[in-house]
Amino acid sequence: MKVQELKHAGLRKWVEEAAALMSPDSVEVCEGGQAEYDRMIQITLDQGLATKLDEKKRPGSVLYRSDPSDVARVENRTYIASESESNAGPTNNWIDPAELKKTMTELYRGSMKGRVMYVIPFSMGPVGSDIAKIGVEITDSAYVVANMHIMTRVGTRVLDVLGSDGFYVPCFHSVGKPLAAGEKDNGKWPCAPMEHKYISHFPETREIWSYGSGYGGNALLGKKCLALRIASVLARDEGWLAEHMLILKITNPQGEAKYITGAFPSACGKTNLAMLIPTLPGWKVETVGDDIAWMKFGADGRLYAINPEAGFFGVAPGTNDESNRNAMVSASKNTIFTNCGLTEDGDIWWEGIGYGAPGSEIIDWKGNKRPSPQKDKSPKGEEIAHPNARFTAPAKQCPCIAAEWEDPKGVPISAFLFGGRRPKTIPLVNQSKGWIHGVFMGSIVGSEVTAAVISDQVGQVRRDPFAMLPFCGYHMGDYFKHWIGLGKKAEAEGKADKLPKIFFVNWFRKNAGDRFIWPGYGENSRVLAWIFDRCDGRGKAVETPIGFLPTPDAIERPAGVSEEDMKEITGVDIEGWKKEIADVRKNHYPKFGDKLPKELYDELDAIESRFNV
Ligand code: GTP
Ligand code: SPV
Ligand code: MN
């Protein structure tokens, strides 16, 4: 479709101005649909950026290898350019919006030379539903268009809803690699050097400007940029929640169902939990979402969640038929793989896929030929697949997708889980004493940094409140206040009992031999079952200084976990907690200055005094 055919005058003008600035060879408005998707894939095949996988092994699927410098989100090049620096807060990078726009305008000038400018109208949430938000992404990457087709709802049907004057979030994206006359990509993933990459958000004007990266959350702007950073600002203003949370449906042997959301930092187990196959007989888990939840209060006082996305952008390494069969099936066809290994028989491979690679040679994510690994492990730094290799798969291909996953009303949430990768101290599961104590627990989440972000901190524990550290579009102190405010409002309306119960989980405790104590994955159903029962006032628990912990016999031990282990992971590590509390008081809370709500300091004082009696 041509720009001239756009009925929305504001959108047409915005696209025309962008084209004048970025100087593409041509401009194309995306209409959606299979033929357009296939054409985008073909373009990237012609550019030498994609490899078609074997049609029998992986029907309709392709593999991309990105530039080794462009493999994950870049948090130190991500900006919240609010009008005042104090609104971005201490955990976000800030540049004055006028200055940032000036810098980026110069980067965008001529940045699409030799390329096509694609205009992608997309809907986060079911097209036309009240809760959905529309964005329009301008990009010079056919790879981005293809991924957006899977991850969001794209095309003319979105323009129809937008009408001639509807609201949309304008999103600029350029890989930042203009082509000279006659120049071609020739198999080299286009991107700009790190110091020219900018992933920028303008919260007041609800705009996103991204430059220089083609990877994941840096480039697929509906996901972290719109559905979390911009949406968190909208949610604050409008009284709802935009969270980095999976949404699952769990049904007990009696056929009763509940919906649970969970916030874990990047690459800490959301996709896996959302799709788990319970080892507990008679229980069933189905998926509503695996990364983002938008939640609004219903007239009944309950919180209803929708998944704004339409696909999974999942971590490949570690995914196998044992750990996450549902993800394996989701990615068995019509899937885009990025930075995985390529086997001799035209299939993908990664560390932890569950089997060695066939044949004698394999091509690693950098494009080098290597001997085929016999087992599914490689030494650190020499991986065949990059640790942040990903699959982009349509949600509708997931065998356990819940029938109601696209219901615009959303699903009523009974429990929130918070957690991260904590080798020590944090127990397997812990229920908060109430809403504010739960907010306190969310505010102190810590986790080892994973390969989902380019950082020299990978492997170190950092505080990642609510798993939103990289995704909150405003001051984190105000974000805590927003959460506390929702609880107070429910209480004032006599609906506090309708609020989700709050739990803390940790699948990642390690023993002295540096091995995970808890088997995780499907065995996490044992913990979910306890949580389910706790929501109904059942499930045996003891009250401790940190919250309600399961009694030693409340959660049946899975194979390989000794009684001793179980005691350790469901007990209170007094010395560890004292250190934890001291660290929060000294290094975490002071960051937020006078924006740290008093209620949270009160909780900190209270937990501290519980340990000191
Ligand atoms: P993002 O997409 O980055 O937000 O990640 P995510 O939170 O969805 O994480 P995901 O479920 O993809 O898991 C990331 C890594 O953690 C994978 O390598 C998994 O195999 C591993 N993992 C997930 N669940 C568990 C678990 O219960 N125990 C252990 N030990 N590892 C897990
Ligand atoms: C994350 O990092 O939390 C992801 C992957 O889900 S990305 O889309 O790259 O942000
Ligand atoms: Mn994520």
Short mmCIF file of all heavy atoms in Angstrom, two decimals, residues 281-326:
data_model
loop_
_atom_site.label_atom_id
_atom_site.label_comp_id
_atom_site.label_asym_id
_atom_site.label_seq_id
_atom_site.Cartn_x
_atom_site.Cartn_y
_atom_site.Cartn_z
N PRO A 281 0.30 -35.10 39.21
CA PRO A 281 -0.82 -35.70 38.46
C PRO A 281 -2.11 -34.91 38.62
O PRO A 281 -2.40 -34.39 39.70
CB PRO A 281 -0.97 -37.08 39.11
CG PRO A 281 0.20 -37.28 39.98
CD PRO A 281 0.86 -35.97 40.22
N GLY A 282 -2.85 -34.79 37.54
CA GLY A 282 -4.17 -34.16 37.60
C GLY A 282 -4.17 -32.65 37.44
O GLY A 282 -5.22 -32.05 37.25
N TRP A 283 -3.02 -32.01 37.52
CA TRP A 283 -2.94 -30.56 37.36
C TRP A 283 -2.67 -30.20 35.90
O TRP A 283 -2.03 -30.97 35.18
CB TRP A 283 -1.84 -29.97 38.24
CG TRP A 283 -2.16 -30.01 39.69
CD1 TRP A 283 -2.08 -31.11 40.50
CD2 TRP A 283 -2.63 -28.94 40.50
NE1 TRP A 283 -2.46 -30.78 41.77
CE2 TRP A 283 -2.81 -29.45 41.81
CE3 TRP A 283 -2.92 -27.59 40.27
CZ2 TRP A 283 -3.26 -28.66 42.87
CZ3 TRP A 283 -3.36 -26.81 41.32
CH2 TRP A 283 -3.54 -27.34 42.60
N LYS A 284 -3.15 -29.03 35.49
CA LYS A 284 -2.95 -28.61 34.10
C LYS A 284 -2.54 -27.14 34.07
O LYS A 284 -3.11 -26.32 34.81
CB LYS A 284 -4.28 -28.79 33.37
CG LYS A 284 -4.19 -28.58 31.87
CD LYS A 284 -5.35 -29.24 31.18
CE LYS A 284 -6.17 -28.20 30.45
NZ LYS A 284 -7.44 -28.69 29.94
N VAL A 285 -1.56 -26.80 33.22
CA VAL A 285 -1.18 -25.40 33.03
C VAL A 285 -1.37 -25.04 31.57
O VAL A 285 -1.01 -25.81 30.67
CB VAL A 285 0.29 -25.15 33.48
CG1 VAL A 285 0.81 -23.80 32.95
CG2 VAL A 285 0.40 -25.20 35.00
N GLU A 286 -1.98 -23.88 31.32
CA GLU A 286 -2.13 -23.36 29.96
C GLU A 286 -1.57 -21.93 29.91
O GLU A 286 -1.50 -21.26 30.94
CB GLU A 286 -3.60 -23.37 29.54
CG GLU A 286 -4.16 -24.78 29.39
CD GLU A 286 -5.67 -24.80 29.46
OE1 GLU A 286 -6.20 -24.89 30.59
OE2 GLU A 286 -6.32 -24.71 28.41
N THR A 287 -1.21 -21.51 28.72
CA THR A 287 -0.53 -20.22 28.56
C THR A 287 -1.49 -19.13 28.10
O THR A 287 -2.25 -19.33 27.15
CB THR A 287 0.57 -20.36 27.47
OG1 THR A 287 1.34 -21.52 27.76
CG2 THR A 287 1.45 -19.14 27.41
N VAL A 288 -1.42 -17.97 28.75
CA VAL A 288 -2.11 -16.78 28.22
C VAL A 288 -1.07 -15.83 27.63
O VAL A 288 -1.27 -15.24 26.57
CB VAL A 288 -2.97 -16.09 29.31
CG1 VAL A 288 -3.63 -14.82 28.77
CG2 VAL A 288 -4.04 -17.05 29.83
N GLY A 289 0.06 -15.66 28.32
CA GLY A 289 1.14 -14.81 27.82
C GLY A 289 2.45 -15.25 28.42
O GLY A 289 2.46 -15.93 29.45
N ASP A 290 3.59 -14.87 27.80
CA ASP A 290 4.88 -15.34 28.33
C ASP A 290 5.84 -14.22 28.69
O ASP A 290 6.95 -14.49 29.13
CB ASP A 290 5.55 -16.30 27.33
CG ASP A 290 6.33 -15.55 26.27
OD1 ASP A 290 5.85 -14.48 25.80
OD2 ASP A 290 7.43 -16.01 25.91
N ASP A 291 5.43 -12.94 28.50
CA ASP A 291 6.41 -11.88 28.76
C ASP A 291 5.80 -10.58 29.31
O ASP A 291 6.44 -9.93 30.12
CB ASP A 291 7.18 -11.56 27.47
CG ASP A 291 8.48 -10.81 27.72
OD1 ASP A 291 9.28 -11.26 28.56
OD2 ASP A 291 8.71 -9.77 27.07
N ILE A 292 4.61 -10.24 28.85
CA ILE A 292 4.04 -8.93 29.22
C ILE A 292 2.56 -9.10 29.59
O ILE A 292 1.82 -9.81 28.90
CB ILE A 292 4.19 -7.92 28.07
CG1 ILE A 292 5.69 -7.71 27.76
CG2 ILE A 292 3.53 -6.58 28.41
CD1 ILE A 292 5.98 -6.82 26.58
N ALA A 293 2.17 -8.42 30.67
CA ALA A 293 0.75 -8.41 31.08
C ALA A 293 0.28 -6.98 31.24
O ALA A 293 0.97 -6.16 31.87
CB ALA A 293 0.57 -9.18 32.39
N TRP A 294 -0.86 -6.68 30.66
CA TRP A 294 -1.54 -5.40 30.92
C TRP A 294 -2.76 -5.73 31.78
O TRP A 294 -3.58 -6.57 31.40
CB TRP A 294 -2.01 -4.75 29.62
CG TRP A 294 -0.90 -4.11 28.82
CD1 TRP A 294 0.41 -3.98 29.15
CD2 TRP A 294 -1.05 -3.53 27.50
NE1 TRP A 294 1.10 -3.33 28.14
CE2 TRP A 294 0.23 -3.05 27.13
CE3 TRP A 294 -2.12 -3.35 26.62
CZ2 TRP A 294 0.45 -2.42 25.90
CZ3 TRP A 294 -1.90 -2.73 25.41
CH2 TRP A 294 -0.62 -2.26 25.06
N MET A 295 -2.87 -5.05 32.91
CA MET A 295 -3.94 -5.41 33.86
C MET A 295 -4.77 -4.20 34.26
O MET A 295 -4.22 -3.16 34.62
CB MET A 295 -3.32 -6.05 35.10
CG MET A 295 -2.74 -7.41 34.79
SD MET A 295 -1.80 -8.10 36.16
CE MET A 295 -0.28 -7.20 36.00
N LYS A 296 -6.09 -4.38 34.19
CA LYS A 296 -7.02 -3.32 34.59
C LYS A 296 -8.05 -3.88 35.56
O LYS A 296 -8.39 -5.05 35.48
CB LYS A 296 -7.74 -2.76 33.36
CG LYS A 296 -6.81 -2.02 32.43
CD LYS A 296 -7.53 -1.24 31.35
CE LYS A 296 -6.49 -0.49 30.54
NZ LYS A 296 -6.98 0.09 29.31
N PHE A 297 -8.54 -3.01 36.43
CA PHE A 297 -9.56 -3.44 37.38
C PHE A 297 -10.92 -3.58 36.69
O PHE A 297 -11.31 -2.72 35.89
CB PHE A 297 -9.67 -2.45 38.54
CG PHE A 297 -8.53 -2.57 39.51
CD1 PHE A 297 -7.44 -1.72 39.44
CD2 PHE A 297 -8.54 -3.57 40.48
CE1 PHE A 297 -6.37 -1.85 40.32
CE2 PHE A 297 -7.47 -3.70 41.38
CZ PHE A 297 -6.39 -2.84 41.29
N GLY A 298 -11.64 -4.65 37.01
CA GLY A 298 -13.01 -4.80 36.57
C GLY A 298 -13.95 -4.19 37.59
O GLY A 298 -13.52 -3.84 38.71
N ALA A 299 -15.23 -4.08 37.23
CA ALA A 299 -16.22 -3.50 38.14
C ALA A 299 -16.31 -4.32 39.43
O ALA A 299 -16.67 -3.81 40.49
CB ALA A 299 -17.58 -3.43 37.45
N ASP A 300 -15.96 -5.60 39.34
CA ASP A 300 -16.02 -6.48 40.52
C ASP A 300 -14.80 -6.32 41.44
O ASP A 300 -14.67 -7.04 42.43
CB ASP A 300 -16.14 -7.95 40.07
CG ASP A 300 -14.97 -8.39 39.18
OD1 ASP A 300 -14.07 -7.56 38.92
OD2 ASP A 300 -14.95 -9.56 38.76
N GLY A 301 -13.89 -5.40 41.10
CA GLY A 301 -12.73 -5.16 41.95
C GLY A 301 -11.56 -6.08 41.67
O GLY A 301 -10.50 -5.95 42.27
N ARG A 302 -11.75 -7.02 40.74
CA ARG A 302 -10.63 -7.92 40.42
C ARG A 302 -9.77 -7.33 39.31
O ARG A 302 -10.24 -6.50 38.52
CB ARG A 302 -11.17 -9.30 39.99
CG ARG A 302 -11.95 -9.97 41.11
CD ARG A 302 -12.11 -11.44 40.85
NE ARG A 302 -10.84 -12.16 40.94
CZ ARG A 302 -10.70 -13.46 40.68
NH1 ARG A 302 -11.75 -14.18 40.31
NH2 ARG A 302 -9.52 -14.04 40.78
N LEU A 303 -8.53 -7.77 39.25
CA LEU A 303 -7.63 -7.30 38.19
C LEU A 303 -7.71 -8.28 37.03
O LEU A 303 -7.55 -9.50 37.22
CB LEU A 303 -6.20 -7.29 38.71
CG LEU A 303 -5.55 -5.97 39.12
CD1 LEU A 303 -4.10 -6.21 39.49
CD2 LEU A 303 -5.64 -4.90 38.03
N TYR A 304 -7.92 -7.74 35.83
CA TYR A 304 -8.02 -8.58 34.63
C TYR A 304 -6.81 -8.34 33.74
O TYR A 304 -6.46 -7.19 33.47
CB TYR A 304 -9.31 -8.26 33.87
CG TYR A 304 -10.53 -8.81 34.59
CD1 TYR A 304 -11.07 -8.16 35.69
CD2 TYR A 304 -11.10 -10.03 34.19
CE1 TYR A 304 -12.17 -8.68 36.37
CE2 TYR A 304 -12.19 -10.56 34.87
CZ TYR A 304 -12.72 -9.88 35.95
OH TYR A 304 -13.79 -10.41 36.63
N ALA A 305 -6.18 -9.43 33.29
CA ALA A 305 -4.94 -9.31 32.52
C ALA A 305 -5.13 -9.73 31.07
O ALA A 305 -5.81 -10.72 30.79
CB ALA A 305 -3.85 -10.18 33.15
N ILE A 306 -4.51 -8.97 30.17
CA ILE A 306 -4.39 -9.44 28.79
C ILE A 306 -2.92 -9.52 28.41
O ILE A 306 -2.06 -8.84 28.98
CB ILE A 306 -5.12 -8.55 27.74
CG1 ILE A 306 -4.42 -7.20 27.56
CG2 ILE A 306 -6.59 -8.37 28.05
CD1 ILE A 306 -4.51 -6.67 26.15
N ASN A 307 -2.65 -10.36 27.43
CA ASN A 307 -1.33 -10.45 26.82
C ASN A 307 -1.36 -9.56 25.58
O ASN A 307 -2.07 -9.86 24.63
CB ASN A 307 -1.07 -11.91 26.43
CG ASN A 307 0.17 -12.07 25.57
OD1 ASN A 307 0.96 -11.14 25.42
ND2 ASN A 307 0.34 -13.25 24.98
N PRO A 308 -0.60 -8.46 25.55
CA PRO A 308 -0.66 -7.58 24.39
C PRO A 308 0.04 -8.14 23.15
O PRO A 308 -0.11 -7.59 22.06
CB PRO A 308 0.03 -6.29 24.87
CG PRO A 308 0.91 -6.72 25.99
CD PRO A 308 0.27 -7.93 26.62
N GLU A 309 0.78 -9.23 23.31
CA GLU A 309 1.56 -9.76 22.19
C GLU A 309 0.81 -10.88 21.47
O GLU A 309 -0.19 -11.40 21.96
CB GLU A 309 2.90 -10.29 22.70
CG GLU A 309 3.72 -9.22 23.41
CD GLU A 309 5.14 -9.65 23.68
OE1 GLU A 309 5.39 -10.37 24.67
OE2 GLU A 309 6.01 -9.28 22.88
N ALA A 310 1.35 -11.27 20.30
CA ALA A 310 0.74 -12.34 19.52
C ALA A 310 1.71 -13.49 19.28
O ALA A 310 1.37 -14.47 18.62
CB ALA A 310 0.24 -11.78 18.18
N GLY A 311 2.92 -13.35 19.78
CA GLY A 311 3.92 -14.41 19.58
C GLY A 311 4.88 -14.47 20.75
O GLY A 311 4.74 -13.72 21.72
N PHE A 312 5.83 -15.40 20.66
CA PHE A 312 6.86 -15.55 21.68
C PHE A 312 8.21 -15.20 21.06
O PHE A 312 8.54 -15.69 19.98
CB PHE A 312 6.93 -16.99 22.18
CG PHE A 312 5.60 -17.58 22.58
CD1 PHE A 312 5.14 -18.75 22.00
CD2 PHE A 312 4.80 -16.95 23.53
CE1 PHE A 312 3.91 -19.31 22.36
CE2 PHE A 312 3.57 -17.49 23.90
CZ PHE A 312 3.13 -18.66 23.31
N PHE A 313 8.97 -14.36 21.76
CA PHE A 313 10.37 -14.12 21.38
C PHE A 313 11.18 -14.78 22.48
O PHE A 313 11.58 -14.13 23.45
CB PHE A 313 10.62 -12.61 21.27
CG PHE A 313 11.99 -12.24 20.78
CD1 PHE A 313 12.40 -12.61 19.50
CD2 PHE A 313 12.86 -11.53 21.58
CE1 PHE A 313 13.68 -12.27 19.04
CE2 PHE A 313 14.14 -11.19 21.12
CZ PHE A 313 14.53 -11.56 19.85
N GLY A 314 11.35 -16.09 22.34
CA GLY A 314 11.83 -16.88 23.48
C GLY A 314 13.31 -17.18 23.43
O GLY A 314 13.92 -17.29 22.36
N VAL A 315 13.90 -17.36 24.63
CA VAL A 315 15.30 -17.76 24.75
C VAL A 315 15.44 -19.19 24.23
O VAL A 315 14.74 -20.09 24.71
CB VAL A 315 15.75 -17.73 26.23
CG1 VAL A 315 17.19 -18.22 26.39
CG2 VAL A 315 15.58 -16.33 26.82
N ALA A 316 16.33 -19.42 23.26
CA ALA A 316 16.49 -20.77 22.71
C ALA A 316 17.33 -21.69 23.61
O ALA A 316 16.86 -22.77 23.96
CB ALA A 316 17.08 -20.68 21.30
N PRO A 317 18.55 -21.29 24.00
CA PRO A 317 19.37 -22.23 24.77
C PRO A 317 18.66 -22.72 26.04
O PRO A 317 17.97 -21.94 26.71
CB PRO A 317 20.63 -21.42 25.12
CG PRO A 317 20.73 -20.42 24.01
CD PRO A 317 19.31 -20.06 23.69
N GLY A 318 18.80 -23.99 26.32
CA GLY A 318 18.15 -24.57 27.50
C GLY A 318 16.75 -25.09 27.21
O GLY A 318 16.17 -25.79 28.03
N THR A 319 16.19 -24.74 26.04
CA THR A 319 14.85 -25.22 25.70
C THR A 319 14.96 -26.59 25.05
O THR A 319 15.70 -26.76 24.08
CB THR A 319 14.17 -24.23 24.72
OG1 THR A 319 14.28 -22.91 25.25
CG2 THR A 319 12.71 -24.58 24.51
N ASN A 320 14.28 -27.57 25.60
CA ASN A 320 14.29 -28.92 25.01
C ASN A 320 12.99 -29.64 25.35
O ASN A 320 12.14 -29.09 26.05
CB ASN A 320 15.53 -29.71 25.50
CG ASN A 320 15.55 -29.86 27.01
OD1 ASN A 320 14.60 -30.35 27.62
ND2 ASN A 320 16.64 -29.43 27.64
N ASP A 321 12.85 -30.86 24.85
CA ASP A 321 11.60 -31.59 25.03
C ASP A 321 11.29 -31.88 26.49
O ASP A 321 10.13 -32.04 26.87
CB ASP A 321 11.63 -32.91 24.24
CG ASP A 321 11.25 -32.67 22.77
OD1 ASP A 321 10.68 -31.60 22.47
OD2 ASP A 321 11.53 -33.55 21.94
N GLU A 322 12.34 -31.95 27.31
CA GLU A 322 12.14 -32.20 28.74
C GLU A 322 11.76 -30.91 29.46
O GLU A 322 10.82 -30.88 30.25
CB GLU A 322 13.44 -32.71 29.37
CG GLU A 322 13.78 -34.14 29.06
CD GLU A 322 12.84 -35.08 29.79
OE1 GLU A 322 12.76 -34.98 31.03
OE2 GLU A 322 12.19 -35.90 29.11
N SER A 323 12.54 -29.84 29.20
CA SER A 323 12.35 -28.61 29.98
C SER A 323 11.11 -27.85 29.51
O SER A 323 10.38 -27.30 30.33
CB SER A 323 13.59 -27.71 29.88
OG SER A 323 13.79 -27.25 28.56
N ASN A 324 10.88 -27.77 28.21
CA ASN A 324 9.74 -27.01 27.70
C ASN A 324 9.28 -27.54 26.34
O ASN A 324 9.54 -26.94 25.30
CB ASN A 324 10.09 -25.51 27.61
CG ASN A 324 8.84 -24.65 27.41
OD1 ASN A 324 7.76 -25.17 27.13
ND2 ASN A 324 9.00 -23.35 27.55
N ARG A 325 8.57 -28.66 26.40
CA ARG A 325 8.10 -29.29 25.18
C ARG A 325 7.14 -28.37 24.41
O ARG A 325 7.12 -28.33 23.18
CB ARG A 325 7.40 -30.61 25.52
CG ARG A 325 6.88 -31.30 24.30
CD ARG A 325 6.56 -32.76 24.40
NE ARG A 325 5.83 -33.11 23.18
CZ ARG A 325 6.38 -33.23 22.00
NH1 ARG A 325 7.69 -33.09 21.85
NH2 ARG A 325 5.65 -33.49 20.94
N ASN A 326 6.34 -27.62 25.14
CA ASN A 326 5.37 -26.75 24.47
C ASN A 326 6.05 -25.65 23.66
O ASN A 326 5.56 -25.27 22.60
CB ASN A 326 4.41 -26.14 25.49
CG ASN A 326 3.44 -27.18 26.03
OD1 ASN A 326 2.89 -27.97 25.27
ND2 ASN A 326 3.25 -27.19 27.35
#
